[in-house]
Amino acid sequence: RTYLGQSFIKLNLGSISVGLSSENIFWGPGRYSGLVMTQNAPGMNHFTIETIKPIETRIGSFEFNLIGGKKMHSGFTWLTQKEINPTDSINGLLSLPDVVRNPSLDTSFNVFTAAVAVYNPIWLPGLSLGITREVWTVAQPTQIKYFDYLSLFYSNPFRVSGGGTEAGTNQMASVFFRYVMPESHAEVYGEYGFDDNRFDIEDFLVSPEHSRAYLFGFRKIHPILNSDEYFDFSIEITQIEASKELMNRTQFGYAVFYASDYSHYGQNIGAGIGSGSNQWVFNLDHVNKNRRFGVLFERVARNNDLLYRGEVPWVNTWYGFDFTKKYVEASYGFNYEQRSGPVLFWSKALLTQTYNWNHWYDPAGTSSAMRANGYNVKSLNI
């Protein structure tokens, strides 16, 4: 495919900009990941109304971004289990083929509208408070009306009848903060999001962990000799795996963060690790004027929701229910940057130990009293 990439045409009017864009958008305070809008998927074609500099008031400054656009289908589909083997209700799930190309889906899309607002209170310099909301249709293009591009403003944030969302729409929202301490050369930040609007106020207060995800981070710069040489330490934890509430609302289905339709061209609009996954990132760099060199550790647990919902076929093995078979990648590595005039050279090398790749059980491997053998691999990624 060809894309318009990071293209836009905008008209700037004071602090406000309006226009059309195909740019990627990243919302929230995360440095290594985000919850609702990141650069994981290609940018969608959208209109935008945004601030290009803070709007100053007596109580502090405000910034915002409002978008409306088309969230496109991947153009691929898959055969159902019954299409493969109509009489087999179990084993067909173990031998599904790869997805197949379906050009008729290339024009299929959902209307997507979203907004973010950030407030910097005048009484607490360095503090930013933000809120986002995302609404998208689940209807086919023939059913879409132009006012759907503004459904953000009239969709009910609660669902007082039915099963948890308005008919024909899905919703997501998040709140976040970032506090910068210039004297300490440090910052702390966090974000908490929901991928399902609440039934009512009681549901919101009783089950705040329902379909939630969150991230927290901390960064500290420690000068060594002068402002041109310092240590840069950062840590960020992203938790998207569903809470215990996952098992408590099955009459409404499994409510997890990132339903399968929160994608553009088949790629998740939010965090790249995807639904049911968690990530830890630790990074320590030595920085001088023209060079950065550091060590890092990354851990990603992928698709834990599948394990807890019993949707991986090997869970019940000869060993019994094997609770150890989480799909986890633990990586140790280095990163290096060197500036030469206007050119920046950057490299990153990771030695990754993967446990239970793709939730696979390895019947040919050895086992221990703790676990049956998973499909474990090592890889070098540069």
Side-chain angles (χ1 to χ4, degrees):
R1 287 193 176 97
T2 57
Y3 301 95
L4 290 175
Q6 308 300 317
S7 304
F8 63 87
I9 178 169
K10 297 178 183 178
L11 175 64
N12 297 334
L13 303 169
S15 299
I16 307 297
S17 180
V18 298
L20 301 174
S21 172
S22 62
E23 297 170 286
N24 282 107
I25 300 173
F26 195 111
W27 288 348
R31 297 185 64 227
Y32 300 97
S33 187
L35 294 186
V36 297
M37 298 287 287
T38 74
Q39 297 165 344
N40 186 60
M44 69 178 73
N45 298 334
H46 62 276
F47 73 82
T48 176
I49 304 174
E50 60 191 273
T51 52
I52 54 177
K53 61 181 179 181
I55 300 175
E56 302 291 343
T57 71
R58 291 183 178 181
I59 61 173
S61 64
F62 294 87
E63 299 170 82
F64 70 87
N65 185 197
L66 168 66
I67 67 169
K70 291 183 176 181
K71 184 167 67 63
M72 302 301 297
H73 195 279
S74 67
F76 289 83
T77 187
W78 60 90
L79 299 176
T80 66
Q81 172 237 322
K82 288 186 177 181
E83 289 173 316
I84 298 169
N85 190 342
T87 63
D88 190 348
S89 61
I90 298 295
N91 293 324
L93 294 175
L94 307 182
S95 58
L96 290 175
D98 291 338
V99 294
V100 294
R101 187 77 172 89
N102 187 343
S104 67
L105 295 173
D106 286 346
T107 57
S108 179
F109 67 90
N110 301 125
V111 170
F112 183 87
T113 178
V116 60
V118 181
Y119 169 51
N120 303 104
I122 195 172
W123 307 279
L124 290 171
L127 177 65
S128 301
L129 302 173
I131 185 171
T132 79
R133 190 181 183 213
E134 297 76 29
V135 178
W136 62 97
T137 65
V138 295
Q140 295 302 309
T142 55
Q143 301 171 291
I144 288 173
K145 306 295 188 297
Y146 285 111
F147 57 78
D148 287 331
Y149 288 95
L150 299 174
S151 59
L152 181 80
F153 296 103
Y154 61 80
S155 293
N156 188 352
F158 295 100
R159 178 60 170 161
V160 294
S161 62
T165 192
E166 287 190 284
T169 63
N170 280 336
Q171 303 190 37
M172 182 180 291
S174 73
V175 292
F176 61 85
F177 77 95
R178 177 173 180 244
Y179 186 49
V180 180
M181 297 161 277
E183 297 82 2
S184 303
H185 309 291
E187 68 173 343
V188 61
Y189 56 87
E191 185 173 13
Y192 198 95
F194 306 97
D195 186 15
D196 189 17
N197 56 338
R198 295 304 186 263
F199 189 85
D200 51 23
I201 290 290
E202 179 180 343
D203 186 27
F204 175 76
L205 296 176
V206 170
S207 299
E209 69 277 15
H210 161 55
S211 68
R212 62 92 185 96
Y214 59 87
L215 69 82
F216 290 100
F218 173 77
R219 186 184 187 189
K220 166 71 175 175
I221 292 176
H222 181 72
I224 300 175
L225 299 176
N226 52 59
S227 60
D228 291 333
E229 186 175 6
Y230 53 88
F231 286 111
D232 185 352
F233 170 75
S234 58
I235 177 175
E236 185 172 294
I237 297 175
T238 304
Q239 183 86 6
I240 298 176
E241 173 191 328
S243 68
K244 292 192 295 290
E245 194 77 11
L246 172 76
M247 310 307 300
N248 206 35
R249 301 174 72 112
T250 54
Q251 68 269 37
F252 296 119
Y254 288 110
V256 298
F257 206 79
Y258 298 136
S260 60
D261 64 346
Y262 196 65
S263 60
H264 179 54
Y265 285 118
Q267 300 178 66
N268 189 26
I269 298 172
I273 57 176
S275 183
S277 303
N278 309 315
Q279 182 180 44
W280 304 344
V281 179
F282 302 88
N283 198 94
L284 177 62
D285 290 341
H286 176 268
V287 185
N288 62 22
K289 188 174 184 180
N290 292 310
R291 190 208 68 195
R292 174 185 292 267
F293 178 75
V295 295
L296 58 101
F297 170 74
E298 299 180 5
R299 177 189 181 272
V300 178
R302 298 191 182 276
N303 306 324
N304 277 349
D305 293 349
L306 296 180
L307 175 66
Y308 298 130
R309 296 195 326 232
E311 293 184 8
V312 286
W314 45 257
V315 168
N316 291 308
T317 68
W318 58 268
Y319 179 81
F321 184 92
D322 194 343
F323 63 91
T324 70
K325 289 298 170 287
K326 295 180 180 178
Y327 176 12
V328 174
E329 298 166 339
S331 303
Y332 311 84
F334 302 90
N335 60 70
Y336 178 79
E337 293 182 17
Q338 181 70 48
R339 187 192 314 247
S340 177
V343 180
L344 181 67
F345 299 93
W346 175 83
S347 65
K348 180 178 179 180
L350 288 177
L351 178 62
T352 300
Q353 172 66 67
T354 301
Y355 298 96
N356 313 303
W357 183 84
N358 207 30
H359 296 292
W360 279 12
Y361 165 69
D362 184 3
T366 59
S367 62
S368 69
M370 174 68 179
R371 65 184 65 83
N373 199 61
Y375 189 72
N376 303 333
V377 295
K378 289 184 174 66
S379 57
L380 178 63
N381 308 279
I382 300 176

